[in-house]
Amino acid sequence: MDYTGILALISFLTGNAEDGFSSLKVATAGNAPITQIVCPRPLPVNEIEGKTVFCGTVQVPEDHASPDGRKISLEFAILKSHSLYPESDPLVYLQGGPGASAMVQIPLLAGAFEPWRKTRDVIFWDQRSAGLSGQSVKCFNALASNAAKIAKKEYTTTAIDGSNESNNTIADCLREIEAAGIDISKYNTTENAKDVSTIIQALGYTSYNMYGVSYGTKLALETMRVAPEGIRAVIIDGVAPSWVKLYDTFAQKVSEPIEHVVEQCKADETCNATFPELDKVIIETLHAAKAGKVIHQGKPIEPKTIFRPFEERNAKYGNLSMTPYLPAFIYELHRGKEMPTVDLLVGRDFVMPMPGDDDVAKASATLPKAQRALIGTLADNAVISARIDRSNQNVVEELRDEIDAEKNYGRVATLFDSELEKALIAARGSDDAKAASMVADYAALQNINASKEALVTFVKTHTSGEASTRLAALIDSMSEAEVAGYFAIIQRDIAKSEEAFFGDLYLFNYACQEDLPFNSFEGYQKFTAAQEYPYIGDDADEAARFVFGSCIPFKQVQRDNWQVPVKSDIPTLSIGSLYDSQTPASWAKVATEELTNAQVFMIPEAGHGALLYQPCVADMGVAFINQPGRKLSNDCAESIKIEWHIPDWAKAAK
C-alpha cells in the first residue's frame, strides 16, 4: 500500500471519503428497496467501502408471480470499475453451490474479476436460500436444540434407507420452516433467475453480462430461458446444465478427468513412449488394488486412493499441478518396484505446494553462477514482498475491526463479548453437558428481541461469582445501540458455527426439490456400473448416499422445462476444464445444444472454474465481454503445455 492508498484509507476512516456510488439509488427502486450494509470481512487492502466497493441488501419478491406479497432480503456487493468512463453494462457474477456464499469471498472474487474492472462494474450477491441471504429459511429452534452438534459438524442426516426420515436435524429444520408459513418451494432456480433482472434494475442498470460458475452456470442458463431481457452476453465456466442428471452421474466426475489424462499422455510423444497403454495399466492397477495386491510402504493401496489425485487437482488452483505426475504414479503402483512418485504424492497427501525457493533453485540450476545469484536475490525479494502484503492485510483488518467496534457494535458490547467468552470457558471446564447447554442457550439468543434482560438471564444461568457480577455490570452500562450491537455479534458468531450445516441445507434445498425428480440412487448405481474404470463406486458411493439420503425429507417439485435444453441466441462463451471433477468438461458442450450463438472451449490443466487456474481464461473472457460477436481463437488452450514427469527409473529403462 503506497501513500495514496493510506491517505484514501484515512479519508474513509474519518468519514471524508469521496462517494464512489453517488448514483446508486439507496432509497427505493421499483419494488426492490436497497439498504447499505457493512461489507463482510475480510476485504482486500485496497478496497474502500463506499468508494471502491458497496455492500447492501436488496429486497425481492419471494414469489415473483405475486410481486406485492412477501419480500426477502438478499445481500449484494458492487466492485466499482476503475475507469472514470465505465461501460454501462456490468459483469454479474453468479455464485455456485447451490447455496454457497459469494459475499464471504470478496477477496477471491476481487482478484479473479480484476481484469473486467478496467471497463465495468462487477456485481454479485448471495442468492435466496444461500450464504448470507439464507436468513429467510432458517430454523432457529432446531438450530438451538442441535447447536452443540452443529458446531462440531456432528448433526444427523437421513440414512439412505430412510430409517430416520423424521428424526434428523434437516427434517427438524424443514418442519420448523413449514410451520412458520414459509413456502420453501419458492426457493428454486427459476425464482433465482427472476431475481437477477430485479436486482439489476434496482441497482440502476438496464443491460448486463453474466459470468456463472458451477451452479451459477445453471442459473445463468435458466435466466436466459425465463428472464432474458437486458442480457448482453454470457460466460458459463464449469457447466452444469439442468437437463443433465447431475446426481446419477457422480462417477462421471471422476472417470472423465482420468480419460483426459490418458488422452493427453497418448498425444505427447515422450509421455506415450514412457507410459504406453496408460488406460489399460490404470484398469489393471485398480483390479490389483481391489484384490489387495498393490502395496506401498508395507500397506495395501485401495482403489479410492488411486482415484484421489485425479480428483484433488480440482480444488488446488493456488498450488502446483499434480497432472504431470499422474502417469508415473499409476505405473509405479502397477510395477510394484521403486515408488518415488507415489512417495511424493502420498507423502504430501496429494497436495502440491505453492512454488518456492526449491523450485526457483531447480529451474535456475543450469544458469551461470552470477545469474543464479541474481535470481536468488529476486526470490528473497519475493518472500519479503509477500510478508509485507500479509502485514498490510493484517493491519488494515485491525483498523476495520476498530471501526466495527466503534460504529457497528459499540465499545462496551465488544468488551462484553471478550469477557463473556473467558467466563464461559472457565465455567464449563471439561463438562461437555454444560458446554452443550451454553451453546444451545447462546444460539437461542439470535431469535429473540435484543434486550438487557435476555443477556442478564443468560449470564446468571451460565456464570457465577465475580465474573457474573462483572458481566452484569457491563450489561447495565450498555446503551440501547450497544445492546443491539451485541445481538449483532451473536448472529455473526452463530452464523460461523452454522456454516457447514446451512451449506448442506441450502444445497439440498435446490438439489432435492428440482434435481432429484430426475435422479435416483438406483440410477446412480446403474450409471456407475457401466463406467470403463472399475470400482469408481468405492470412491463415489459415500457422496451419493449422503445426497440421496439427505434428500428424503424434502418434497420433490416437478419443474417445467427443467430437462429441456435452453434455446437462445444470446452470445455465450462456454468453458470446460479437462480436470474438473465436479462438472465434467463435456457438459460445456452439452449446454450449447440449442444455443445458436455459442462458442465452446476446453481448457487443460484446470479444475472446477477455469478462471481460477489459467490467466488466459480471463484474457479470453474479457475479449468476449468487450466484443461478444468476436470469433475467438483457441490460443488459450493451445498455450498451456504439460511437462510430464519422467522419474529416474523410467529414464534408466530407455
Side-chain angles (χ1 to χ4, degrees):
M1 176 176 280
D2 58 19
Y3 286 109
T4 301
I6 295 171
L7 289 171
L9 179 62
I10 293 171
S11 293
F12 168 70
L13 295 176
T14 56
N16 296 319
E18 179 185 349
D19 184 2
F21 295 90
S22 57
S23 62
L24 184 62
K25 301 175 182 178
V26 295
T28 301
N31 292 323
I34 298 169
T35 303
Q36 186 171 5
I37 62 172
V38 176
C39 291
R41 306 297 192 232
L43 287 177
V45 169
N46 294 322
E47 299 293 352
I48 307 297
E49 288 182 81
K51 183 175 177 64
T52 68
V53 58
F54 182 99
C55 298
T57 62
V58 56
Q59 289 194 338
V60 298
E62 183 180 64
D63 181 358
H64 282 274
S66 303
D68 296 326
R70 186 172 183 265
K71 301 292 194 299
I72 56 177
S73 291
L74 307 180
E75 293 200 14
F76 72 89
I78 303 175
L79 298 174
K80 188 174 178 61
S81 171
H82 301 311
S83 174
L84 289 175
Y85 304 95
E87 299 294 338
S88 60
D89 47 281
L91 182 71
V92 175
Y93 168 65
L94 300 177
Q95 173 72 2
S101 174
M103 294 293 289
V104 299
Q105 299 187 75
I106 291 179
L108 174 65
L109 298 179
F113 290 102
E114 176 66 17
W116 282 271
R117 291 179 74 182
K118 294 178 181 178
T119 55
R120 285 175 169 79
D121 294 345
V122 176
I123 303 170
F124 48 89
W125 57 85
D126 282 0
Q127 300 145 16
R128 57 176 63 204
S129 185
L132 302 182
S133 298
Q135 198 75 6
S136 53
V137 289
K138 275 201 171 181
C139 42
F140 295 102
N141 294 330
L143 290 175
S145 60
N146 292 280
K149 292 181 179 179
I150 289 173
K152 295 179 180 179
K153 301 180 182 179
E154 296 175 350
Y155 55 88
T156 56
T157 55
T158 312
I160 189 68
D161 62 1
S163 57
N164 63 333
E165 178 178 353
S166 300
N167 184 28
N168 62 80
T169 313
I170 287 178
D172 291 345
C173 190
L174 290 175
R175 282 192 292 270
E176 184 177 334
I177 291 171
E178 184 177 5
I182 297 169
D183 185 357
I184 201 168
S185 71
K186 294 297 185 289
Y187 293 80
N188 61 48
T189 301
T190 298
E191 294 293 338
N192 256 348
K194 293 176 181 178
D195 287 343
V196 176
S197 59
T198 300
I199 294 170
I200 292 302
Q201 291 174 26
L203 298 180
Y205 303 96
T206 55
S207 64
Y208 64 100
N209 311 279
M210 293 190 290
Y211 196 120
V213 174
S214 193
Y215 168 79
T217 67
K218 183 186 292 189
L219 177 54
L221 290 163
E222 186 70 359
T223 306
M224 293 165 71
R225 190 202 311 266
V226 303
E229 299 80 11
I231 303 175
R232 177 176 171 270
V234 178
I235 302 177
I236 47 178
D237 180 0
V239 189
S242 64
W243 53 99
V244 169
K245 295 185 177 182
L246 272 69
Y247 299 101
D248 279 7
T249 57
F250 263 122
Q252 185 179 354
K253 301 172 185 181
V254 183
S255 65
E256 193 168 299
I258 297 175
E259 292 169 5
H260 290 309
V261 172
V262 170
E263 291 167 1
Q264 291 193 310
C265 182
K266 187 175 182 179
D268 183 273
E269 183 177 351
T270 300
C271 187
N272 190 47
T274 309
F275 309 109
E277 298 186 302
L278 181 58
D279 53 345
K280 178 182 176 182
V281 172
I282 292 173
I283 292 172
E284 290 177 357
T285 306
L286 286 167
H287 281 303
K290 189 68 174 180
K293 297 179 180 179
V294 177
I295 308 298
H296 175 243
Q297 295 181 352
K299 297 179 180 179
I301 291 287
E302 298 178 343
K304 62 181 180 181
T305 301
I306 297 172
F307 292 125
R308 268 197 70 188
F310 294 95
E311 296 178 286
E312 292 287 340
R313 173 69 171 113
N314 195 63
K316 304 299 188 300
Y317 52 81
N319 297 75
L320 292 172
S321 172
M322 279 187 291
T323 307
Y325 299 89
L326 296 182
F329 172 80
I330 294 296
Y331 256 72
E332 288 175 8
L333 292 174
H334 185 262
R335 292 170 75 245
K337 299 179 181 178
E338 64 270 50
M339 297 186 181
T341 310
V342 179
D343 291 340
L344 175 71
L345 297 187
V346 173
R348 290 175 170 168
D349 196 27
F350 299 101
V351 178
M352 298 300 289
M354 293 285 287
D357 285 345
D358 291 344
D359 302 287
V360 171
K362 183 178 179 181
S364 62
T366 59
L367 295 175
K369 182 178 180 181
Q371 295 177 21
R372 289 201 309 273
L374 292 172
I375 292 294
T377 301
L378 288 175
D380 291 341
N381 289 345
V383 173
I384 294 169
S385 178
R387 186 178 299 128
I388 291 172
D389 287 343
R390 287 194 300 271
S391 177
N392 283 344
Q393 182 69 55
N394 292 337
V395 170
V396 171
E397 279 308 303
E398 285 187 34
L399 283 168
R400 288 174 176 149
D401 288 344
E402 284 287 315
I403 296 169
D404 288 346
E406 186 73 37
K407 292 184 177 180
N408 304 315
Y409 303 130
R411 291 288 180 184
V412 179
T414 305
L415 176 60
F416 175 79
D417 183 51
S418 175
E419 294 292 323
L420 178 63
E421 181 179 6
K422 295 175 185 176
L424 292 177
I425 290 173
R428 80 185 184 201
S430 59
D431 189 331
D432 290 342
K434 186 177 290 187
S437 176
M438 289 176 178
V439 172
D441 288 351
Y442 187 78
L445 291 173
Q446 69 175 317
N447 193 35
I448 64 174
N449 293 328
S451 71
K452 291 184 179 182
E453 292 74 18
L455 293 180
V456 169
T457 299
F458 179 83
V459 165
K460 288 184 176 180
T461 301
H462 296 291
T463 66
S464 61
E466 183 179 340
S468 183
T469 301
R470 174 168 169 73
L471 290 169
L474 286 172
I475 295 170
D476 186 59
S477 68
M478 286 185 191
S479 66
E480 185 176 334
E482 285 172 325
V483 172
Y486 184 67
F487 274 79
I489 290 174
I490 293 172
Q491 292 179 343
R492 178 199 67 188
D493 292 346
I494 291 298
K496 290 179 182 178
S497 69
E498 296 168 351
E499 280 178 350
F501 171 74
F502 277 108
D504 287 340
L505 178 70
Y506 296 154
L507 184 151
F508 296 147
N509 182 47
Y510 287 91
C512 303
Q513 291 193 95
E514 59 190 19
D515 286 320
L516 262 289
F518 309 101
N519 295 259
S520 67
F521 188 65
E522 293 72 26
Y524 157 77
Q525 291 176 310
K526 182 178 180 180
F527 181 91
T528 302
Q531 296 304 293
E532 176 183 1
Y533 296 100
Y535 316 118
I536 277 186
D538 289 9
D539 182 70
D541 278 0
E542 183 178 355
R545 289 177 180 277
F546 179 61
V547 170
F548 285 105
S550 297
C551 280
I552 291 173
F554 288 82
K555 297 176 183 177
Q556 296 183 7
V557 182
Q558 293 285 345
R559 301 286 306 287
D560 293 340
N561 298 319
W562 193 241
Q563 288 276 290
V564 177
V566 171
K567 296 182 179 181
S568 177
D569 61 0
I570 296 172
T572 304
L573 175 61
S574 186
I575 302 171
S577 297
L578 295 187
Y579 303 135
D580 188 339
S581 59
Q582 285 179 253
T583 55
S586 61
W587 292 357
K589 294 180 180 178
V590 172
T592 63
E593 292 175 359
E594 298 290 342
L595 302 182
T596 58
N597 197 6
Q599 302 180 64
V600 184
F601 293 93
M602 298 293 167
I603 308 300
E605 278 297 76
H608 193 51
L611 176 63
L612 295 176
Y613 290 83
Q614 297 294 345
C616 64
V617 174
D619 295 340
M620 181 168 60
V622 168
F624 175 75
I625 294 298
N626 286 344
Q627 191 179 345
R630 176 179 177 179
K631 183 69 174 177
L632 297 169
S633 70
N634 197 36
D635 288 349
C636 177
E638 292 173 357
S639 71
I640 301 167
K641 308 298 182 184
I642 300 175
E643 297 291 336
W644 298 98
H645 172 66
I646 310 298
D648 290 340
W649 62 261
K651 294 175 184 176
K654 289 187 177 182

